[in-house]
């Protein structure tokens, strides 16, 4: 049973940066895709960024393009999300997710492994 544990969230001022990490208890290369999702109170969950674990097939939501960068270190079994130029509307609980098959970043379909989340607050 693989577990994902997020870290790196916190409170930051507008324009600031944060680096989120997602540590997997198993080999990240065993997944096909990993991604970051976020959900703010009263809003639907949003796929923020995702990627194939072995090739550079990368997805970004329009709202974060040019500001967020997703990366993976399979040697360390860790997924990262570098967030820059943060805005108040980026405030949300951020979740790491992983899939063993095909995925849909809009719906989250295909992602069967989820972390507990890490809170990001931008003010």
């Amino acid at each position: 049973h693989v577990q994902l544990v997020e870290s790196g969230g916190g409170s930051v001022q507008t324009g600031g940066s944060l680096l989120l990490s997602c540590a997997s208890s198993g080999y990240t290369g065993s997944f096909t895709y990993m991604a970051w999702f976020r959900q703010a109170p009263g809003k639907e969950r949003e796929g923020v960024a995702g990627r194939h674990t072995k090739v550079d097939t990368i997805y970004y939501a329009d709202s974060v393009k040019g500001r967020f960068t997703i990366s993976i270190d399979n040697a360390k079994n860790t997924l990262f999300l570098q967030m820059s130029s943060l805005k108040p509307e980026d405030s949300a609980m951020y979740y790491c997710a992983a899939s063993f098959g095909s995925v849909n970043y809009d719906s989250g379909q295909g992602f069967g492994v989820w972390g507990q989340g890490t809170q990001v607050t931008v003010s």
Side-chain angles (χ1 to χ4, degrees):
H1 180 62
V2 178
Q3 291 185 316
L4 303 176
V5 179
E6 303 95 334
S7 62
S11 296
V12 65
Q13 292 187 336
T14 298
S17 299
L18 283 173
L19 174 65
L20 303 185
S21 299
C22 171
S24 171
S25 63
Y27 176 47
T28 48
S30 67
F31 301 123
T32 51
Y33 295 93
M34 295 188 75
W36 291 94
F37 291 79
R38 67 185 180 187
Q39 188 165 24
K43 294 189 177 181
E44 292 188 356
R45 184 180 63 195
E46 175 187 20
V48 175
R51 62 162 296 147
H52 193 278
T53 59
K54 295 183 179 177
V55 296
D56 287 339
T57 303
I58 298 176
Y59 163 85
Y60 291 107
D62 288 343
S63 58
V64 306
K65 282 181 181 176
R67 301 188 298 121
F68 290 12
T69 302
I70 188 171
S71 61
I72 192 167
D73 187 337
N74 286 321
K76 296 182 178 180
N77 297 320
T78 304
L79 181 75
F80 301 97
L81 185 67
Q82 177 67 56
M83 306 187 295
S84 302
S85 302
L86 283 162
K87 305 174 182 180
E89 50 264 44
D90 294 318
S91 297
M93 185 70 79
Y94 282 72
Y95 299 91
C96 174
S99 170
F100 291 105
S102 59
V103 300
N104 183 303
Y105 292 113
D106 289 331
S107 68
Q109 184 177 4
F111 287 99
V113 185
W114 292 82
Q116 295 296 311
T118 185
Q119 179 68 42
V120 172
T121 303
V122 185
S123 60

